[in-house]
Amino acid sequence: MTGLEPNHSIQGGARAITTRKYLFALTDGGGTVPPELGVARRLVDRGHHVTVLADESMGGQTRGTGAAFLPWSVAPTGELRDWERQSPMSLARNTVEHMITGPAPDQAREVGAAIERIQPGLVLTSFFAFGAMIAAEAKRVPFNVLLPNTYGLPAKGMPPGGAGLAPAHGPLGRLRDQVARSGVNWLFDRYALAPVNALRTQYRLDPIATTLNQVQHANLQLILTSPAFDFPGELPENARYVGPVLDDPAWAADVSWTEPPGEGPLVLVAMSSTFQNHQACLQRIIDALGTLPVRGVVTTGPAIKVEDLRAPANVSVLAAAPHAEVMRHANVVVTHGGHGTVIKALAAGLPLVVLHHGRDQADNAVRVTARGAGIAVPRRASPGRIAAAVSTVLGSPAYAAAAVELGRAVALDADAGNALLLDALEG
């Protein structure tokens, strides 16, 4: 029994669904958790047998999907303090050691054991779970990599990720991208290639030429966003857009919320669900809204305590609120630029003010501003500058119109994505 064989068939709409076993190997990436577990939930809802091997912090959210939960036996490596001032070299080294090479040996061992025990037909991994990919490859079980963001790997025609670059034009632009892509590969290879290849050798796999080749060994790279939001590029054959997963995080989905009284425009402020040293930025946003004739709703998430923030009378600060519900009443969203918040705001037809902090957030911001669907301001902007940006977006119908136009395509891709995603996983 390999897990590829069906257990039984059930009726799903117009055709029978062959139920199978799936193993997820996930790491707690904050905003990546809701879409990745959203994939698991959709498979559970179809009657499949789903097991999620993940950080202990994801246990409650995983069980809420109906999937079986297995915690990694080794404690997480702790907080990646990427918000601290670091050189590009030290940031690359710390990221690689923290998220790839450090956990990889334990991931490979535990995923290998889980494969032996569960016999899944498919393994699905977080992007940084290289050890899980290696174990699946060694066991000859196909694996897919989940990418709940825009496409971040180097791809011809697409601006390199991480720097918030717009698409290049002309020979100088193409040279810029070529140099940047080479630089990304070099940084990964400098710190990750030798230990990744050592682990591959341990599992009797051939070495890879560059670190990111490991992701190319996947059966599919499932890009959980809308191609209408992403910039175009020449992607590998195994990369496939399957639409965004718009699920709210478990800690916010069941929270009740009442629209604040008043007539002013409603401004939703939603920052990072993981700590990015953003409390001071959040306070400046609150101070900015206090100077405007608006109603502000600020959700802090698990990263910041409500009581650590000062709020004027026209701003409500909450630990959590169901964003899908709030966005039905909102006029603009102010955010750090995480993919989940940005894509949900656009799907709701809302323009944005983005104060990007790091990670993929500058890339999301430029995709918003390039389409005219919002404004980006520095994370250290003053309350006055933030207030001016919010006023500009609220007072210029062109931003709302651009957000509605882009959001219509995003929402259609989200609706179609369920079918595309399930087709990719069940086919």
Side-chain angles (χ1 to χ4, degrees):
M1 186 78 172
T2 66
L4 291 169
E5 296 88 349
N7 297 104
H8 63 281
S9 293
I10 58 177
Q11 292 299 315
R15 65 183 179 89
I17 302 167
T18 301
T19 61
R20 294 186 172 91
K21 296 177 182 178
Y22 296 85
L23 173 65
F24 285 68
L26 306 179
T27 57
D28 191 343
T32 64
V33 172
E36 289 183 344
L37 288 182
V39 176
R41 182 177 65 79
R42 283 156 176 76
L43 288 171
V44 171
D45 289 347
R46 298 276 280 184
H48 296 296
H49 304 278
V50 179
T51 302
V52 176
L53 183 59
D55 293 328
E56 185 68 58
S57 58
M58 296 170 60
Q61 298 175 80
T62 298
R63 294 184 186 97
T65 69
F69 174 62
L70 292 176
W72 298 109
S73 64
V74 179
T77 52
E79 183 182 67
L80 174 64
R81 300 172 69 87
D82 59 338
W83 40 265
E84 293 181 333
R85 291 183 182 272
Q86 301 181 44
S87 69
M89 296 286 285
S90 62
L91 179 59
R93 183 184 67 249
N94 292 342
T95 300
V96 164
E97 292 175 353
H98 184 93
M99 304 190 74
I100 298 178
T101 60
D106 291 319
Q107 288 173 351
R109 175 177 52 81
E110 295 195 44
V111 170
I115 289 173
E116 288 290 331
R117 186 167 64 255
I118 297 167
Q119 296 288 296
L122 182 68
V123 174
L124 295 102
T125 81
S126 296
F127 173 77
F128 287 108
F130 275 42
M133 302 176 206
I134 289 170
E137 192 176 345
K139 294 288 186 182
R140 290 179 164 75
V141 177
F143 69 91
N144 290 351
V145 178
L146 299 171
L147 303 173
N149 321 90
T150 57
Y151 192 73
L153 280 73
K156 186 176 180 181
M158 182 179 285
L165 298 175
H169 300 284
L172 286 179
R174 289 190 291 272
L175 178 61
R176 178 205 74 178
D177 287 355
Q178 182 179 350
V179 170
R181 283 195 297 270
S182 297
V184 169
N185 281 325
W186 181 82
L187 276 175
F188 268 96
D189 291 348
R190 178 180 174 88
Y191 301 112
L193 185 58
V196 167
N197 271 336
L199 189 60
R200 288 182 61 84
T201 298
Q202 181 182 333
Y203 282 82
R204 296 183 177 146
L205 297 172
D206 292 335
I208 50 179
T210 68
T211 306
L212 294 177
N213 282 158
Q214 180 60 64
V215 182
Q216 308 298 356
H217 285 208
N219 180 50
L220 288 174
Q221 301 175 58
L222 298 175
I223 311 169
L224 302 175
T225 194
S226 166
F229 176 66
D230 209 355
F231 289 141
E234 297 179 23
L235 305 189
E237 290 185 4
N238 69 338
R240 183 181 301 181
Y241 288 98
V242 291
V245 175
L246 303 179
D247 297 15
D248 276 335
W251 47 265
D254 297 326
V255 178
S256 61
W257 176 78
T258 302
E259 183 179 1
E263 299 295 328
L266 184 65
V267 180
L268 170 63
V269 181
M271 305 294 279
S272 180
S273 59
T274 59
F275 187 72
Q276 287 191 262
N277 198 30
H278 60 281
Q279 181 174 321
C281 177
L282 190 53
Q283 184 63 62
R284 289 194 299 275
I285 296 170
I286 293 170
D287 293 343
L289 297 184
T291 68
L292 298 175
V294 300
R295 297 171 296 152
V297 175
V298 178
T299 58
T300 64
I304 303 291
K305 294 180 180 179
V306 171
E307 57 267 27
D308 289 340
L309 298 166
R310 308 177 310 276
N314 66 324
V315 178
S316 301
V317 180
L318 311 170
H323 284 172
E325 172 64 21
V326 179
M327 286 178 183
R328 281 195 278 272
H329 302 269
N331 300 91
V332 65
V333 175
V334 181
T335 178
H336 66 304
H339 177 266
T341 302
V342 168
I343 209 74
K344 281 187 276 191
L346 290 172
L350 296 176
L352 297 111
V353 174
V354 184
L355 296 89
H356 54 82
H357 284 50
R359 304 173 189 175
D360 65 329
Q361 294 152 24
D363 297 328
N364 295 326
V366 74
R367 283 159 174 77
V368 169
T369 58
R371 277 58 176 265
I375 292 175
V377 295
R379 62 174 294 185
R380 293 181 176 83
S382 67
R385 185 169 179 182
I386 296 168
V390 172
S391 296
T392 298
V393 171
L394 286 172
S396 304
Y399 290 107
V404 168
E405 182 180 359
L406 177 56
R408 188 177 295 114
V410 168
L412 286 173
D413 286 337
D415 291 339
N418 279 329
L420 292 171
L421 177 63
L422 292 169
D423 182 64
L425 296 177
E426 295 177 340

